[in-house]
Structure formats: structure tokens, C-alpha cells
Amino acid sequence: MGLSGSTMPNAAAKKLVDEMIASNKVVVFSKTYCPYCDMAKAALNKTGLKDFLVIELDGRNDGDSIQDYLRTLSGIRSVPQLFVDKKFIADGSKTKAMQASGELVPILKNCGAL
């Protein structure tokens, strides 16, 4: 099988994403112009969370490669993608719903982020 048309994730993107998720309790993969990304970040802020990593993919040359790899982790390629304690938790709408229902705060407290 040749390299063209390969669906294998980019090794550099995989390494970066794995390191970011492993070394941060809360990571949001986002795009600056995305209203759902803004919704997810606002929901996290409403929980009182002050310290979380946001990776804005539209400002990176490897943004597409990162999204390709995220699909292998979460099953979706779209952003935002919220990872808490090394696990995919939610997209934008679900993050907002979890914050509104009170479900998000215990998840953040459980991993020591709050």
C-alpha cells in the first residue's frame, strides 16, 4: 500500500496531542472563529476553572493533522473537543449541557482541575 490516500495519523501531530493531553488536566481543541468552541470555553469558565489549555487549530500549520488524529481518539473530527484527565469528554453542545446540568463540575473536581 502506498503513502497516497493513507489515513494514518501524522506522527508529529499524534505526539503533540498525546503530550498535551497527558500533561494537562483539561485540554480544549478549538478554532478561534467557531461559535461551538466559544460555547465550550465559556462553559468551562462558568465552572470557575481558571487553568486549562486551549489549542486553537486554525492558527497552526498542523491543525488538519491534529484533527485527523483527534478523530482516532474521540470518533469525531469536528471541534471543539474537550479532554479531561486524559479522556475525551464532550463536544461544544455537550460541554455546555454538562455545565448547565451541574455534571461538569464534579468531573473537573475529581481530576483535581477545580
Side-chain angles (χ1 to χ4, degrees):
M1 180 163 29
L3 292 177
S4 64
S6 172
T7 58
M8 293 296 294
N10 174 298
K14 178 185 183 309
K15 183 176 190 281
L16 174 80
V17 170
D18 289 347
E19 287 175 359
M20 292 299 103
I21 291 172
S23 60
N24 293 278
K25 291 180 188 209
V26 180
V27 182
V28 179
F29 293 91
S30 175
K31 290 188 177 176
T32 57
Y33 57 82
C34 169
Y36 291 96
C37 297
D38 291 343
M39 181 187 338
K41 291 180 279 191
L44 287 170
N45 285 324
K46 285 181 183 174
T47 68
L49 184 65
K50 302 285 185 229
D51 187 24
F52 59 97
L53 178 65
V54 177
I55 300 173
E56 299 290 4
L57 299 180
D58 56 318
R60 302 180 57 94
N61 291 334
D62 57 356
D64 283 340
S65 295
I66 290 172
Q67 278 187 267
D68 290 342
Y69 178 58
L70 287 172
R71 180 186 295 164
T72 70
L73 298 178
S74 66
I76 62 172
R77 190 176 186 279
S78 59
V79 291
Q81 292 195 33
L82 170 64
F83 286 80
V84 176
D85 200 20
K86 303 173 187 62
K87 294 185 261 334
F88 172 69
I89 300 295
D91 62 9
S93 299
K94 185 174 178 191
T95 301
K96 181 180 179 182
M98 290 172 71
Q99 183 274 320
S101 72
E103 187 181 353
L104 191 55
V105 167
I107 292 170
L108 297 171
K109 284 184 176 178
N110 192 44
C111 76
L114 266 182

